[in-house]
Amino acid sequence: MFCPKCGSKKFMEHTVKSYRCSDCLFHIFLNAGAAVSGIIINANREVLFTIRKFDPKAGMLDLPGGFVDYEENAEDALTREIKEELGVNVTKLTYYKSLPNLYEYDDITYHTLDLFYFCEVDSIESIIVNDDVSGYVFESISNIDIKKIGLGSPKQIITDLKKLFK
Ligand SMILES: [Zn+2]
C-alpha cells in the first residue's frame, strides 16, 4: 500500500488499528464509526424490523438507523434516519445501550459502535419505507427468529430483549 502523504511503498499495518509509513513516519489511526439504531415497539409489544434493500445482508431484517454524519449528534442522526427510512417523526428517544459491530461493504470490514435507543414515533400507522429499506414488519419479541436478522449487533440486542421481556 502507498503512503498517502509521501507516496512510499513502506506504508504498512503498524498496530491492529493503525497504519504507519516507515519512510516519513506518517501514522494514521482507524477508529470505530458511530452508528445508531432504533427499537420501535407497537401497542401489541411487537418490534419494528426493517428489511434491508442493499448488501450487506440484503433481504434480511434489521432495525431502523444508520451512520452518524460528521458534526451530528446521535439523537439527531437517529431522528434523521428514521424519517428517511420510515417517513415518520421521532417524538421520544431513550438510550438503551451500545454494542460494537462489523459492517462489510465493498470487501472492506468497517468497525462501528452502534448506539441503540428505544424510540416513539408520531404515527406508527403511516409508515412508508424509503431510502435503503425495502419493507418493514412487526414481530413479537418472543417469536422472532434471530437467524432472520442480518447484522451482529441487532441480533444481540433482540436476544437481550427476549430475556428482558420474558
Ligand atoms: Zn510516507
Side-chain angles (χ1 to χ4, degrees):
M1 211 182 305
F2 292 99
C3 172
K5 201 167 183 184
C6 77
S8 160
K9 283 182 184 169
K10 294 181 190 165
F11 183 66
M12 280 170 285
E13 198 169 320
H14 185 64
T15 69
V16 68
K17 57 174 188 178
S18 76
Y19 284 79
R20 198 180 75 148
C21 173
S22 52
D23 277 338
C24 76
L25 305 183
F26 176 62
H27 194 184
I28 192 165
F29 292 85
L30 306 173
N31 296 305
V36 285
S37 280
I39 304 156
I40 300 172
I41 300 176
N42 70 10
N44 301 322
R45 298 183 75 189
E46 298 163 324
V47 174
L48 184 148
F49 291 92
T50 54
I51 301 168
R52 296 183 63 83
K53 193 191 279 183
F54 303 117
D55 276 328
K57 310 288 181 186
M60 295 191 78
L61 299 184
D62 200 357
L63 294 172
F67 287 96
V68 179
D69 284 341
Y70 293 160
E71 314 272 323
E72 186 178 47
N73 71 36
E75 293 76 20
D76 288 348
L78 187 52
T79 301
R80 173 182 55 72
E81 287 284 348
I82 286 176
K83 181 74 179 176
E84 286 170 7
E85 293 182 351
L86 304 174
V88 292
N89 299 301
V90 170
T91 53
K92 190 179 176 194
L93 287 174
T94 308
Y95 179 68
Y96 176 41
K97 63 155 66 172
S98 65
L99 282 175
N101 201 16
L102 296 176
Y103 192 85
E104 311 276 343
Y105 187 76
D106 260 0
D107 297 328
I108 293 177
T109 302
Y110 291 88
H111 290 261
T112 66
L113 180 67
D114 298 350
L115 313 179
F116 290 85
Y117 289 81
F118 288 102
C119 297
E120 290 174 22
V121 297
D122 58 353
S123 53
I124 207 163
E125 55 291 318
S126 61
I127 287 171
I128 298 169
V129 298
N130 204 340
D131 200 36
D132 52 359
V133 170
S134 65
Y136 75 99
V137 61
F138 280 101
E139 295 266 12
S140 82
I141 294 167
S142 50
N143 291 343
I144 175 75
D145 178 2
I146 295 294
K147 291 194 290 291
K148 290 184 183 169
I149 303 171
L151 297 167
S153 67
K155 268 185 193 170
Q156 185 58 53
I157 287 293
I158 299 301
T159 304
D160 273 16
L161 293 182
K162 276 179 183 282
K163 291 176 195 151
L164 211 65
F165 281 63
K166 233 172 198 174

